[in-house]
């Protein structure tokens, strides 16, 4: 079983729409959680960390559900510039590496 | 942006030749990682380092070796390149194993 699983999509949404991505993780000892954004042929860039209480950064909201072992990313009022692949990332308190989901592709349509 | 530089950015090499990719950081972060990214597989860890001369294998380490003789440099070597090693290689750094990672711009390697 993969450490982190994501729906690959693609998600095609109109401008202004709200879209949500979910990601599940298998290791209950997972400690830190992140969402990264990756544009085509570019490096992944940190979008936001995910905290237990949930956190918001402008149009982006991230939530963590430890009991069900999933994290989510909500994007409100989608912009064309939000088109990218969104990667879910998890670390554990015993390992020395980051575990990446395969990414969810988002295209925002005019 | 975090100070990470990968070199070369693009390389075409022949099967059987040795190849070394370099990752250089100016952040003095303890952890450094090499990943490869292929369609359908996402990012897969090749090797990582948790300090000078301290390295360990990731999930796809066969055919690769690494060295870290200085905090700022992490080298990835393909001893004898094969076509299956054609990929995009990303270096990443992290201050702590549970803090966010920052990525270099990637090296696009083609083995012909």
């Amino acid at each position: 079983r993969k450490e982190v699983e994501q729906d690959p999509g693609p998600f095609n949404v109109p401008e202004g729409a709200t879209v949500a991505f979910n990601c599940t993780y298998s290791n209950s000892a997972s400690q830190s959680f992140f969402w990264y954004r990756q544009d085509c042929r570019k490096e992944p860039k940190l979008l936001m960390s995910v905290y237990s209480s949930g956190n918001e950064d402008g149009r982006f909201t991230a939530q963590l559900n430890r009991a069900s072992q999933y994290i989510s990313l909500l994007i409100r009022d989608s912009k064309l510039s939000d088109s990218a692949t969104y990667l879910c990332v998890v670390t554990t308190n015993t390992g020395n590496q980051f575990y990446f989901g395969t990414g969810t592709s988002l295209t925002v349509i005019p | 942006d975090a100070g990470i530089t990968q070199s070369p950015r693009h390389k075409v090499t022949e099967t059987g030749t040795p190849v070394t990719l370099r990752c250089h950081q100016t952040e003095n972060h303890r952890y450094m990682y090499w990943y490869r990214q292929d369609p359908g597989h996402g990012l897969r860890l090749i090797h990582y380092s948790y300090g000078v001369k301290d390295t360990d294998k990731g999930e796809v380490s066969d055919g690769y070796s690494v060295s870290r003789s200085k905090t700022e440099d992490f080298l990835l070597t393909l001893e004898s390149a094969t076509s299956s090693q054609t990929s995009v290689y990303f270096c990443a750094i992290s201050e702590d194993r549970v803090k966010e990672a920052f990525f270099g711009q990637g090296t696009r390697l083609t083995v012909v």
Side-chain angles (χ1 to χ4, degrees):
Chain A
R1 184 182 173 186
K2 290 185 178 179
E3 293 280 343
V4 179
E5 300 207 51
Q6 288 182 255
D7 179 351
F11 285 69
N12 300 313
V13 302
E15 273 186 289
T18 296
V19 61
F21 307 136
N22 287 329
C23 163
T24 59
Y25 59 95
S26 61
N27 189 339
S28 59
S30 296
Q31 184 169 359
S32 298
F33 308 88
F34 309 95
W35 283 101
Y36 280 72
R37 169 195 171 123
Q38 186 173 26
D39 293 292
C40 187
R41 302 175 74 87
K42 295 289 185 69
E43 75 273 23
K45 292 189 176 181
L46 180 68
L47 179 65
M48 58 197 304
S49 302
V50 186
Y51 303 118
S52 296
S53 56
N55 47 299
E56 189 173 305
D57 182 1
R59 298 181 293 108
F60 300 85
T61 300
Q63 292 194 313
L64 167 64
N65 184 318
R66 286 191 181 272
S68 300
Q69 295 185 197
Y70 78 82
I71 67 174
S72 63
L73 177 68
L74 183 76
I75 305 174
R76 292 181 299 278
D77 189 22
S78 298
K79 311 292 185 189
L80 296 177
S81 58
D82 294 334
S83 297
T85 296
Y86 291 84
L87 303 170
C88 170
V89 184
V90 172
T91 69
T92 70
N93 57 7
T94 55
N96 281 316
Q97 64 170 292
F98 295 81
Y99 296 96
F100 287 82
T102 52
T104 299
S105 174
L106 171 66
T107 300
V108 181
I109 304 165
Chain B
D1 286 349
I4 312 168
T5 305
Q6 289 186 233
S7 59
R9 295 290 314 280
H10 301 271
K11 186 170 182 67
V12 180
T13 192
E14 292 186 349
T15 299
T17 61
V19 177
T20 295
L21 309 183
R22 181 181 184 234
C23 179
H24 178 78
Q25 61 147 328
T26 57
E27 305 295 322
N28 199 36
H29 283 356
R30 179 182 175 190
Y31 290 85
M32 299 185 76
Y33 308 84
W34 277 108
Y35 288 89
R36 62 178 288 174
Q37 187 172 37
D38 305 287
H41 289 281
L43 283 152
R44 293 182 291 173
L45 182 66
I46 305 171
H47 282 278
Y48 66 94
S49 170
Y50 47 97
V52 173
K53 299 194 189 311
D54 292 322
T55 65
D56 207 347
K57 296 178 180 180
E59 63 180 298
V60 291
S61 59
D62 287 349
Y64 302 94
S65 62
V66 290
S67 66
R68 191 169 179 198
S69 59
K70 298 184 290 185
T71 299
E72 57 266 35
D73 290 324
F74 192 32
L75 303 180
L76 176 71
T77 297
L78 290 65
E79 301 291 346
S80 178
T82 66
S83 58
S84 64
Q85 293 175 312
T86 292
S87 187
V88 179
Y89 291 85
F90 287 105
C91 173
I93 64 173
S94 178
E95 185 179 0
D96 184 275
R97 65 185 184 186
V98 294
K99 289 192 174 180
E100 63 272 17
F102 299 97
F103 285 81
Q105 293 177 295
T107 295
R108 194 168 296 275
L109 177 68
T110 302
V111 182
V112 298

